[in-house]
Protein backbone atom coordinates (compact mmCIF):
# COMPACT_ATOMS: atom_id res chain seq x y z
CA UNK A 1 0.00 0.00 0.00
CA UNK A 2 1.14 3.53 -0.72
CA UNK A 3 0.74 6.30 1.86
CA UNK A 4 -0.13 9.70 0.41
CA UNK A 5 0.24 12.52 2.93
CA UNK A 6 -1.63 15.61 1.82
CA UNK A 7 -3.59 13.45 -0.64
CA UNK A 8 -6.68 15.64 -0.20
CA UNK A 9 -4.78 18.61 -1.61
CA UNK A 10 -4.39 19.81 -5.16
CA UNK A 11 -1.36 17.86 -6.40
CA UNK A 12 -1.76 14.94 -3.96
CA UNK A 13 -5.32 14.23 -5.10
CA UNK A 14 -4.32 14.12 -8.76
CA UNK A 15 -1.43 11.76 -8.00
CA UNK A 16 -3.78 9.64 -5.88
CA UNK A 17 -6.12 9.26 -8.85
CA UNK A 18 -3.27 8.14 -11.11
CA UNK A 19 -1.93 5.70 -8.48
CA UNK A 20 -5.34 4.04 -8.21
CA UNK A 21 -5.76 4.03 -12.00
CA UNK A 22 -2.48 2.13 -12.24
CA UNK A 23 -3.55 -0.44 -9.65
CA UNK A 24 -1.88 0.80 -6.44
CA UNK A 25 -3.86 0.77 -3.20
CA UNK A 26 -3.57 4.05 -1.32
CA UNK A 27 -4.06 5.44 2.18
CA UNK A 28 -4.50 9.20 2.24
CA UNK A 29 -3.40 10.95 5.43
CA UNK A 30 -4.56 14.54 5.61
CA UNK A 31 -5.68 16.95 8.33
CA UNK A 32 -7.94 18.75 5.84
CA UNK A 33 -6.47 22.12 6.85
CA UNK A 34 -5.92 22.90 3.19
CA UNK A 35 -7.19 19.64 1.66
CA UNK A 36 -10.76 18.73 0.79
CA UNK A 37 -12.57 15.45 1.50
CA UNK A 38 -14.34 15.72 -1.86
CA UNK A 39 -11.01 15.45 -3.68
CA UNK A 40 -10.33 12.02 -2.15
CA UNK A 41 -12.29 9.86 -4.56
CA UNK A 42 -9.95 6.86 -4.46
CA UNK A 43 -8.28 4.93 -1.64
CA UNK A 44 -8.85 5.18 2.12
CA UNK A 45 -8.89 8.58 3.81
CA UNK A 46 -7.43 8.82 7.33
CA UNK A 47 -7.94 12.26 8.86
CA UNK A 48 -4.98 13.03 11.08
CA UNK A 49 -2.15 15.40 11.78
CA UNK A 50 1.52 14.78 11.07
CA UNK A 51 2.32 17.11 13.96
CA UNK A 52 1.03 14.33 16.23
CA UNK A 53 3.54 11.50 15.90
CA UNK A 54 1.16 8.92 17.42
CA UNK A 55 -1.46 9.61 14.77
CA UNK A 56 0.93 8.99 11.92
CA UNK A 57 2.56 6.01 13.69
CA UNK A 58 -0.88 4.37 13.90
CA UNK A 59 -1.26 4.49 10.11
CA UNK A 60 1.91 2.40 9.77
CA UNK A 61 0.50 -0.07 12.34
CA UNK A 62 -2.88 -0.30 10.63
CA UNK A 63 -1.76 -0.58 6.99
CA UNK A 64 1.11 -2.43 5.26
CA UNK A 65 2.80 0.70 3.87
CA UNK A 66 5.48 0.05 1.23
CA UNK A 67 6.31 3.61 0.24
CA UNK A 68 5.29 7.19 1.04
CA UNK A 69 4.42 10.13 -1.19
CA UNK A 70 4.73 13.24 0.97
CA UNK A 71 2.69 16.22 -0.24
CA UNK A 72 1.45 17.61 3.09
CA UNK A 73 2.89 21.09 3.66
CA UNK A 74 2.11 24.77 3.71
CA UNK A 75 2.80 25.96 0.18
CA UNK A 76 2.29 29.69 -0.30
CA UNK A 77 5.33 31.80 -1.05
CA UNK A 78 3.62 35.07 -0.04
CA UNK A 79 2.14 33.68 3.18
CA UNK A 80 5.51 32.23 4.20
CA UNK A 81 6.99 35.73 4.18
CA UNK A 82 4.53 36.90 6.84
CA UNK A 83 4.12 33.65 8.80
CA UNK A 84 7.60 32.07 8.80
CA UNK A 85 7.09 30.46 12.20
CA UNK A 86 4.09 28.47 10.96
CA UNK A 87 6.01 27.40 7.86
CA UNK A 88 9.10 26.20 9.69
CA UNK A 89 7.06 24.39 12.33
CA UNK A 90 4.58 22.77 10.00
CA UNK A 91 6.84 21.80 7.13
CA UNK A 92 9.93 20.76 9.08
CA UNK A 93 8.50 19.17 12.22
CA UNK A 94 5.81 17.24 10.36
CA UNK A 95 8.36 15.82 7.91
CA UNK A 96 10.71 14.88 10.72
CA UNK A 97 7.87 13.05 12.48
CA UNK A 98 7.02 11.21 9.29
CA UNK A 99 10.64 10.18 8.65
CA UNK A 100 11.11 8.97 12.22
CA UNK A 101 7.97 6.88 12.01
CA UNK A 102 9.08 5.45 8.65
CA UNK A 103 12.43 4.56 10.18
CA UNK A 104 10.82 2.73 13.09
CA UNK A 105 8.42 0.93 10.76
CA UNK A 106 11.30 0.00 8.39
CA UNK A 107 9.65 1.73 5.44
CA UNK A 108 12.50 3.13 3.39
CA UNK A 109 11.06 4.74 0.28
CA UNK A 110 9.69 8.27 0.03
CA UNK A 111 8.84 10.69 -2.75
CA UNK A 112 8.98 14.29 -1.61
CA UNK A 113 7.26 17.35 -3.08
CA UNK A 114 10.01 19.90 -3.44
CA UNK A 115 9.85 23.09 -5.40
CA UNK A 116 11.47 25.54 -7.79
CA UNK A 117 11.35 27.94 -4.84
CA UNK A 118 14.44 26.15 -3.45
CA UNK A 119 16.54 27.79 -6.18
CA UNK A 120 15.82 31.43 -5.42
CA UNK A 121 16.85 33.97 -8.04
CA UNK A 122 18.04 32.11 -11.12
CA UNK A 123 21.63 32.60 -12.23
CA UNK A 124 20.89 31.06 -15.65
CA UNK A 125 17.87 31.22 -17.95
CA UNK A 126 17.09 27.53 -17.48
CA UNK A 127 17.31 25.91 -14.07
CA UNK A 128 18.59 22.34 -14.06
CA UNK A 129 19.36 20.17 -11.04
CA UNK A 130 22.90 21.60 -10.70
CA UNK A 131 21.73 25.17 -10.27
CA UNK A 132 22.70 26.54 -6.82
CA UNK A 133 19.90 26.40 -4.28
CA UNK A 134 19.64 29.76 -2.50
CA UNK A 135 15.95 30.22 -1.64
CA UNK A 136 14.68 33.75 -1.11
CA UNK A 137 11.58 33.00 0.97
CA UNK A 138 10.84 30.86 4.05
CA UNK A 139 8.70 28.44 2.03
CA UNK A 140 11.61 27.64 -0.28
CA UNK A 141 13.96 27.40 2.69
CA UNK A 142 11.76 24.81 4.44
CA UNK A 143 11.68 22.67 1.29
CA UNK A 144 15.46 22.91 0.84
CA UNK A 145 16.01 21.95 4.48
CA UNK A 146 13.81 18.91 3.95
CA UNK A 147 15.86 17.89 0.90
CA UNK A 148 18.93 18.07 3.16
CA UNK A 149 17.13 16.15 5.90
CA UNK A 150 16.31 13.42 3.39
CA UNK A 151 19.94 13.15 2.27
CA UNK A 152 21.01 12.77 5.91
CA UNK A 153 18.34 10.12 6.57
CA UNK A 154 19.49 8.22 3.49
CA UNK A 155 23.15 8.30 4.61
CA UNK A 156 22.42 7.31 8.20
CA UNK A 157 19.33 5.08 7.94
CA UNK A 158 19.14 4.03 4.30
CA UNK A 159 15.84 5.76 3.55
CA UNK A 160 15.75 6.16 -0.25
CA UNK A 161 14.08 9.27 -1.54
CA UNK A 162 13.17 11.06 -4.71
CA UNK A 163 12.72 14.82 -4.45
CA UNK A 164 10.60 16.23 -7.27
CA UNK A 165 10.97 19.97 -7.64
CA UNK A 166 7.81 21.28 -9.20
CA UNK A 167 7.76 24.53 -11.06
CA UNK A 168 4.27 26.11 -11.30
CA UNK A 169 1.68 23.35 -10.96
CA UNK A 170 -1.51 24.17 -12.83
CA UNK A 171 -4.51 22.75 -14.69
CA UNK A 172 -7.03 20.17 -13.56
CA UNK A 173 -7.78 16.47 -14.05
CA UNK A 174 -8.58 16.06 -17.78
CA UNK A 175 -11.28 13.56 -16.70
CA UNK A 176 -13.01 16.33 -14.73
CA UNK A 177 -13.16 14.39 -11.42
CA UNK A 178 -10.96 16.76 -9.42
CA UNK A 179 -9.17 20.09 -9.72
CA UNK A 180 -7.59 23.00 -7.90
CA UNK A 181 -9.34 24.24 -4.74
CA UNK A 182 -7.41 26.63 -2.53
CA UNK A 183 -9.16 28.72 0.11
CA UNK A 184 -8.20 31.49 -0.17
CA UNK A 185 -6.94 31.16 -3.73
CA UNK A 186 -3.53 32.78 -4.29
CA UNK A 187 -2.39 31.19 -7.56
CA UNK A 188 -2.37 33.07 -10.80
CA UNK A 189 -4.42 30.88 -13.17
CA UNK A 190 -7.40 30.13 -10.87
CA UNK A 191 -7.50 33.78 -9.82
CA UNK A 192 -7.72 34.93 -13.43
CA UNK A 193 -10.43 32.32 -14.12
CA UNK A 194 -12.45 33.61 -11.16
CA UNK A 195 -12.23 37.12 -12.60
CA UNK A 196 -13.40 35.77 -15.97
CA UNK A 197 -16.34 34.12 -14.18
CA UNK A 198 -17.12 37.42 -12.41
CA UNK A 199 -16.66 35.59 -9.09
CA UNK A 200 -13.81 37.91 -8.23
CA UNK A 201 -14.01 41.60 -8.81
CA UNK A 202 -10.55 42.36 -10.05
CA UNK A 203 -7.24 40.98 -11.06
CA UNK A 204 -3.97 42.60 -10.00
CA UNK A 205 -0.69 41.62 -11.62
CA UNK A 206 2.06 41.85 -9.02
CA UNK A 207 4.63 44.10 -10.59
CA UNK A 208 5.36 45.15 -14.18
CA UNK A 209 8.87 46.46 -13.61
CA UNK A 210 10.76 43.15 -13.67
CA UNK A 211 13.57 42.73 -16.16
CA UNK A 212 11.48 40.57 -18.51
CA UNK A 213 10.23 41.45 -22.03
CA UNK A 214 6.82 42.74 -20.82
CA UNK A 215 7.92 43.60 -17.27
CA UNK A 216 5.83 40.87 -15.57
CA UNK A 217 7.16 37.71 -13.90
CA UNK A 218 7.79 34.61 -15.99
CA UNK A 219 6.90 31.14 -14.74
CA UNK A 220 7.07 27.58 -16.09
CA UNK A 221 3.57 26.08 -15.92
CA UNK A 222 3.47 22.31 -15.57
CA UNK A 223 0.17 20.45 -15.71
CA UNK A 224 -0.87 18.54 -12.61
CA UNK A 225 -1.58 15.44 -14.74
CA UNK A 226 2.02 15.52 -15.99
CA UNK A 227 3.21 15.91 -12.39
CA UNK A 228 1.14 12.82 -11.54
CA UNK A 229 2.76 10.71 -14.26
CA UNK A 230 6.22 11.85 -13.02
CA UNK A 231 5.34 10.62 -9.51
CA UNK A 232 4.27 7.24 -10.83
CA UNK A 233 7.54 6.85 -12.74
CA UNK A 234 9.56 7.95 -9.71
CA UNK A 235 7.67 5.53 -7.46
CA UNK A 236 8.25 2.57 -9.79
CA UNK A 237 11.94 3.45 -9.89
CA UNK A 238 12.24 3.51 -6.10
CA UNK A 239 10.23 0.29 -5.73
CA UNK A 240 12.65 -1.31 -8.22
CA UNK A 241 15.45 -0.59 -5.72
CA UNK A 242 17.08 2.43 -7.37
CA UNK A 243 18.98 5.04 -5.39
CA UNK A 244 17.91 8.44 -4.10
CA UNK A 245 17.75 11.26 -6.64
CA UNK A 246 16.29 14.70 -7.39
CA UNK A 247 14.47 15.92 -10.49
CA UNK A 248 13.20 19.28 -11.71
CA UNK A 249 9.73 19.10 -13.22
CA UNK A 250 8.62 21.77 -15.66
CA UNK A 251 7.94 22.31 -19.35
CA UNK A 252 11.15 24.19 -20.07
CA UNK A 253 9.22 27.18 -21.41
CA UNK A 254 8.16 30.25 -19.48
CA UNK A 255 5.09 32.44 -19.81
CA UNK A 256 4.77 35.91 -18.36
CA UNK A 257 1.88 36.81 -16.07
CA UNK A 258 0.54 39.04 -18.81
CA UNK A 259 0.75 36.23 -21.37
CA UNK A 260 -1.21 33.98 -19.01
CA UNK A 261 -3.92 36.64 -18.68
CA UNK A 262 -4.12 36.97 -22.47
CA UNK A 263 -4.32 33.17 -22.90
CA UNK A 264 -7.21 33.02 -20.39
CA UNK A 265 -9.05 35.72 -22.33
CA UNK A 266 -8.58 33.70 -25.52
CA UNK A 267 -9.65 30.35 -24.05
CA UNK A 268 -12.70 31.71 -22.23
CA UNK A 269 -13.65 34.30 -24.83
CA UNK A 270 -14.26 36.71 -21.94
CA UNK A 271 -12.67 40.10 -21.64
CA UNK A 272 -11.91 41.70 -18.27
CA UNK A 273 -9.86 44.47 -16.80
CA UNK A 274 -6.37 43.87 -15.43
CA UNK A 275 -4.70 46.15 -12.92
CA UNK A 276 -1.01 46.42 -12.11
CA UNK A 277 0.14 46.57 -8.50
CA UNK A 278 3.46 46.46 -6.67
CA UNK A 279 5.74 43.46 -6.72
CA UNK A 280 4.89 40.65 -4.29
CA UNK A 281 7.70 40.11 -1.80
CA UNK A 282 9.71 36.95 -2.39
CA UNK A 283 8.92 36.68 -6.14
CA UNK A 284 11.89 35.95 -8.46
CA UNK A 285 11.52 37.49 -11.95
CA UNK A 286 11.93 34.30 -13.99
CA UNK A 287 11.68 30.60 -13.14
CA UNK A 288 12.04 28.11 -15.99
CA UNK A 289 12.91 24.44 -15.53
CA UNK A 290 15.46 22.28 -17.22
CA UNK A 291 13.75 18.85 -17.03
CA UNK A 292 15.97 16.80 -19.32
CA UNK A 293 17.07 14.66 -16.40
CA UNK A 294 13.49 13.62 -15.59
CA UNK A 295 12.94 12.84 -19.25
CA UNK A 296 16.12 10.79 -19.53
CA UNK A 297 16.23 8.98 -16.19
CA UNK A 298 12.51 8.61 -15.46
CA UNK A 299 11.33 8.51 -19.07
CA UNK A 300 8.94 11.37 -18.26
CA UNK A 301 7.06 12.88 -21.23
CA UNK A 302 4.88 15.83 -20.23
CA UNK A 303 1.92 16.04 -22.63
CA UNK A 304 0.48 19.45 -21.64
CA UNK A 305 3.05 21.73 -23.19
CA UNK A 306 0.50 24.16 -24.64
CA UNK A 307 -0.60 26.93 -22.27
CA UNK A 308 -4.08 27.17 -23.78
CA UNK A 309 -4.68 23.41 -23.39
CA UNK A 310 -3.59 23.70 -19.75
CA UNK A 311 -5.97 26.59 -19.17
CA UNK A 312 -8.80 24.70 -20.90
CA UNK A 313 -8.61 21.90 -18.32
CA UNK A 314 -8.56 24.43 -15.47
CA UNK A 315 -11.48 26.35 -17.00
CA UNK A 316 -13.58 23.18 -17.42
CA UNK A 317 -13.03 22.34 -13.75
CA UNK A 318 -13.70 25.87 -12.57
CA UNK A 319 -17.00 26.04 -14.48
CA UNK A 320 -18.26 22.66 -13.27
CA UNK A 321 -17.05 23.02 -9.71
CA UNK A 322 -18.10 26.51 -8.67
N1 LIG B 1 0.37 36.70 -9.41
C1 LIG B 1 -0.20 37.92 -9.75
N2 LIG B 1 -1.45 38.19 -9.27
C2 LIG B 1 -2.14 37.31 -8.50
C3 LIG B 1 -1.55 36.06 -8.17
C4 LIG B 1 -0.26 35.80 -8.65
O1 LIG B 1 0.38 38.74 -10.44
O2 LIG B 1 -3.27 37.62 -8.11
C5 LIG B 1 1.73 36.43 -9.91
C6 LIG B 1 2.76 36.17 -8.82
O3 LIG B 1 3.22 37.37 -8.24
C7 LIG B 1 3.81 35.42 -9.64
C8 LIG B 1 2.97 34.61 -10.63
O4 LIG B 1 1.71 35.27 -10.68
O5 LIG B 1 4.58 36.34 -10.35
C9 LIG B 1 2.75 33.19 -10.21
O6 LIG B 1 2.29 33.22 -8.86
P1 LIG B 1 1.63 31.98 -8.12
O7 LIG B 1 1.24 32.45 -6.76
O8 LIG B 1 0.58 31.37 -8.99
O9 LIG B 1 2.82 30.94 -8.06
P2 LIG B 1 4.28 31.13 -7.43
O10 LIG B 1 5.21 31.23 -8.61
O11 LIG B 1 4.37 32.16 -6.43
O12 LIG B 1 4.44 29.79 -6.63
C10 LIG B 1 4.20 28.51 -7.22
C11 LIG B 1 3.82 27.55 -6.12
C12 LIG B 1 4.95 27.39 -5.16
C13 LIG B 1 6.20 27.05 -5.90
C14 LIG B 1 6.48 27.99 -7.02
C15 LIG B 1 7.66 27.51 -7.79
O13 LIG B 1 2.68 28.02 -5.44
O14 LIG B 1 4.63 26.38 -4.25
O15 LIG B 1 5.35 28.08 -7.86
O16 LIG B 1 7.77 28.16 -8.99
F1 LIG B 1 7.24 27.10 -5.05
Amino acid sequence: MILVTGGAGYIGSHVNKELNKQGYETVIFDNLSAGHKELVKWGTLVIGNLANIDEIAKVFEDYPIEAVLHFAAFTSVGESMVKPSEYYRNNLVCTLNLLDVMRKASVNKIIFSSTAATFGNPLRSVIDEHHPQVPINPYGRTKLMIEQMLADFDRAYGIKYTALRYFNACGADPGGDIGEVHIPETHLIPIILEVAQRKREKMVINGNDFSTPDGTCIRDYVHVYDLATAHLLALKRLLAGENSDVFNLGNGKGFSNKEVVDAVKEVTGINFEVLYGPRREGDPAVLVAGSEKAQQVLGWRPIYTDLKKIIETAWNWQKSHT
Side-chain angles (χ1 to χ4, degrees), residues 18-216:
E18 205 51 34
L19 283 164
N20 280 274
K21 241 169 69 185
Q22 295 202 23
Y24 291 95
E25 282 188 276
T26 57
V27 180
I28 292 85
F29 188 80
D30 201 301
N31 66 2
L32 302 181
S33 69
H36 305 273
K37 250 198 276 204
E38 314 80 75
L39 297 182
V40 185
K41 296 193 169 166
W42 308 269
T44 307
L45 173 62
V46 176
I47 299 173
N49 203 329
L50 284 171
N52 183 333
I53 201 158
D54 296 334
E55 284 180 20
I56 184 62
K58 184 159 189 313
V59 175
F60 285 78
E61 283 159 24
D62 291 349
Y63 301 94
I65 306 296
E66 272 174 276
V68 180
L69 277 71
H70 180 37
F71 297 93
F74 289 160
T75 62
S76 269
V77 170
E79 188 182 51
S80 79
M81 299 293 286
V82 292
K83 295 183 178 169
S85 170
E86 271 100 322
Y87 272 68
Y88 284 107
R89 183 168 302 281
N90 185 61
N91 292 1
L92 299 183
V93 175
C94 290
T95 305
L96 189 55
N97 284 349
L98 174 66
L99 289 173
D100 273 338
V101 167
M102 284 177 64
R103 190 156 68 90
K104 286 187 194 126
S106 302
V107 174
N108 65 354
K109 294 174 181 64
I110 180 166
I111 295 181
F112 169 61
S113 300
S114 189
T115 169
T118 58
F119 292 110
N121 282 315
L123 305 175
R124 305 189 272 277
S125 56
V126 172
I127 302 175
D128 66 10
E129 288 77 5
H130 302 295
H131 188 285
Q133 288 178 291
V134 189
I136 58 169
N137 50 60
Y139 167 63
R141 280 190 273 275
T142 65
K143 291 284 182 171
L144 177 57
M145 287 174 192
I146 295 169
E147 286 193 13
Q148 292 163 339
M149 205 188 274
L150 287 166
D152 289 335
F153 271 63
D154 181 2
R155 261 188 302 272
Y157 312 121
I159 292 187
K160 299 295 166 203
Y161 68 93
T162 305
L164 299 177
R165 299 178 186 138
Y166 319 144
F167 282 60
N168 285 59
C170 59
D173 169 31
D177 287 323
I178 48 178
E180 188 163 9
V181 188
H182 291 116
I183 302 171
E185 188 51 74
T186 61
H187 294 95
L188 184 67
I189 293 177
I191 283 182
I192 309 173
L193 293 174
E194 284 175 14
V195 176
Q197 274 184 310
R198 313 286 182 226
K199 289 232 158 85
R200 182 183 285 261
E201 223 176 288
K202 57 178 186 179
M203 154 87 231
V204 181
I205 292 188
N206 303 323
N208 58 352
D209 59 349
F210 289 94
S211 52
T212 59
D214 65 21
T216 67

